Amino acid sequence: MSGAQKQQQDNQVFPFTEEVLSILLLDRTTGKNILWATDDYSPIDSKSQIQLSQITGTHSDRIRPRIQKQKEEQQSRTRNKAEVFTPSWICNAQNNLIDEAWFGLKDVFNKIDEESSGKKWISTKEKIAFSTDIESHKTWQDYVKLTRLEITCGEAPYLVSRYDTVTGKNIKLFDRIGLLDRKMRVICENAANEAEYFLWTTVAFQNTYGFELQGDNLLLARTNLLLSFNEYTKHFLKRLPTEEEQKKIAEIISWNLWQMDGLTFSTPFSSGDDSEQGFLFEEMNTVENFPCKIMDWKENKILLYKSLLKKKGA
């Protein structure tokens, strides 16, 4: 077993090489690492960057998904950080509405199981069909290119659903209900070869966005997206992706899932250009101003997130 393989085996929460994990820790706005932005890991300063040494080796279980946390800790984060817990079945029902609007049809990817009071779903077994009507012609590539954003994403349950957020049980690959999961299913059903798979997988990740305030949640969200990439690649190619393939997707994820205070559109503890409102749960203590940057992959250019809001008259 190589050193990289052993490292991946040792860290069950973040089972990546240090080089890949270092990419997932990057804050593209500041050029540094994402911040902890939570007091739950005292004596670690909430305003400090998350370092590799703090989440690997003997500290590899320091950050855990919400389902693995004690009830008291879950309730504390809800009270003090306004952390909202969204069951998977609600994510699915809402994502179904998005697809119903686009396809013009109900129950495209799954059907709600009414006998479970709507808390379970039955996945479509047939290949997802796309319209061939001349006037409303929509291809599977059109679907993959749709831009999706999960605001205050937490662990990103609306984007990828590797595990049930209520029970913690793993969800089978094609029973998953996330917005990115649905794109990946369509790619796996339609891509003709490895090159086409990687081309459209890249497009899918480039068009999937999310932002989160707390650094531990953001890292878990980024991890969930990258592990989903690993799992779909293993299904389609019958092999895990190489480290270079993981790094390429990790770079996209580190741009597209970013750390932001939703009140200031800036990094935590930064006031923003035109706002007197500080960090949501801390006293004002602004050292520098960092309006959040995101990548427009279609134009291949970096934008300020708040510039998109101004374009829409926000």
Side-chain angles (χ1 to χ4, degrees):
M1 181 183 297
S2 70
Q5 288 174 322
K6 185 169 191 310
Q7 176 191 332
Q8 290 176 313
Q9 185 183 64
D10 288 345
N11 194 332
Q12 297 303 310
V13 180
F14 309 115
F16 312 115
T17 65
E18 287 192 358
E19 192 168 354
V20 172
L21 187 51
S22 294
I23 295 172
L24 293 181
L25 283 171
L26 284 175
D27 185 315
R28 297 293 181 173
T29 295
T30 64
K32 302 176 182 178
N33 282 4
I34 58 177
L35 305 179
W36 284 95
T38 172
D39 293 322
D40 291 340
Y41 300 91
S42 180
I44 297 175
D45 185 354
S46 64
K47 298 176 184 177
S48 65
Q49 301 172 52
I50 302 178
Q51 304 294 343
L52 269 177
S53 61
Q54 295 174 318
I55 58 171
T56 57
T58 57
H59 302 298
S60 60
D61 62 347
R62 173 170 270 151
I63 295 178
R64 294 169 295 157
R66 180 186 173 91
I67 193 65
Q68 295 179 15
K69 295 171 183 172
Q70 297 295 324
K71 291 293 183 183
E72 182 179 347
E73 184 180 355
Q74 293 179 8
Q75 292 168 359
S76 173
R77 289 176 73 106
T78 299
R79 283 194 308 270
N80 301 325
K81 308 296 185 184
E83 184 174 275
V84 178
F85 165 68
T86 309
S88 297
W89 62 272
I90 291 181
C91 296
N92 179 55
Q94 293 179 322
N95 286 351
N96 280 357
L97 290 175
I98 294 172
D99 281 329
E100 181 180 339
W102 193 82
F103 282 92
L105 296 169
K106 295 183 65 175
D107 306 331
V108 175
F109 286 88
N110 62 68
K111 184 176 182 179
I112 303 300
D113 182 4
E114 300 299 341
E115 294 184 2
S116 68
S117 300
K119 295 184 178 181
K120 294 182 180 179
W121 56 90
I122 302 169
S123 298
T124 303
K125 301 303 179 185
E126 299 79 17
K127 181 178 177 180
I128 304 301
F130 289 84
S131 172
T132 57
D133 181 78
I134 295 177
E135 292 186 2
S136 60
H137 185 56
K138 295 179 178 178
T139 68
W140 67 268
Q141 293 95 333
D142 292 329
Y143 184 79
V144 173
K145 288 188 288 186
L146 292 171
T147 300
R148 302 301 192 202
L149 165 69
E150 181 178 357
I151 63 172
T152 57
C153 67
E155 297 173 20
Y158 282 92
L159 301 183
V160 290
S161 57
R162 300 182 55 250
Y163 47 83
D164 189 296
T165 55
V166 176
T167 66
K169 292 182 179 179
N170 292 336
I171 299 177
K172 293 180 180 179
L173 203 63
F174 289 108
D175 287 333
R176 297 182 183 180
I177 53 80
L179 296 169
L180 181 58
D181 288 316
R182 297 170 189 231
K183 292 186 178 190
M184 292 306 301
R185 172 177 175 173
V186 166
I187 292 168
C188 288
E189 289 180 344
N190 290 278
N193 50 48
E194 179 173 319
E196 191 169 31
Y197 169 81
F198 279 119
L199 169 63
W200 286 101
T201 294
T202 299
V203 172
F205 276 83
Q206 287 177 339
N207 286 280
T208 302
Y209 293 85
F211 66 81
E212 167 63 26
L213 179 68
Q214 298 176 107
D216 56 349
N217 280 347
L218 178 62
L219 185 56
L220 288 168
R222 289 177 170 185
T223 294
N224 281 331
L225 263 69
L226 187 55
L227 287 176
S228 295
F229 165 68
N230 290 355
E231 291 158 352
Y232 284 105
T233 301
K234 184 177 181 180
H235 166 80
F236 188 82
L237 297 181
K238 311 306 179 187
R239 67 167 176 83
L240 286 171
T242 65
E243 184 176 18
E244 289 304 311
E245 290 164 346
Q246 287 188 71
K247 284 164 61 178
K248 180 178 179 181
I249 297 299
E251 288 172 0
I252 298 171
I253 293 171
S254 67
W255 273 106
N256 283 27
L257 269 70
W258 72 95
Q259 188 170 32
M260 185 172 77
D261 182 332
L263 295 181
T264 66
F265 310 127
S266 300
T267 58
F269 311 107
S270 175
S271 66
D273 281 337
D274 49 10
S275 172
E276 295 300 321
Q277 177 69 50
F279 180 45
L280 186 57
F281 305 107
E282 300 284 348
E283 294 181 357
M284 178 77 77
N285 188 12
T286 303
V287 177
E288 293 184 79
N289 175 46
F290 291 110
C292 287
K293 301 174 183 177
I294 63 171
M295 177 65 78
D296 180 343
W297 298 97
K298 295 183 181 71
E299 299 293 332
N300 195 30
K301 64 180 181 181
I302 299 170
L303 303 171
L304 289 181
Y305 175 74
K306 63 172 56 180
S307 71
L308 301 178
L309 303 181
K310 291 177 181 178
K311 287 180 181 179
K312 294 182 178 296

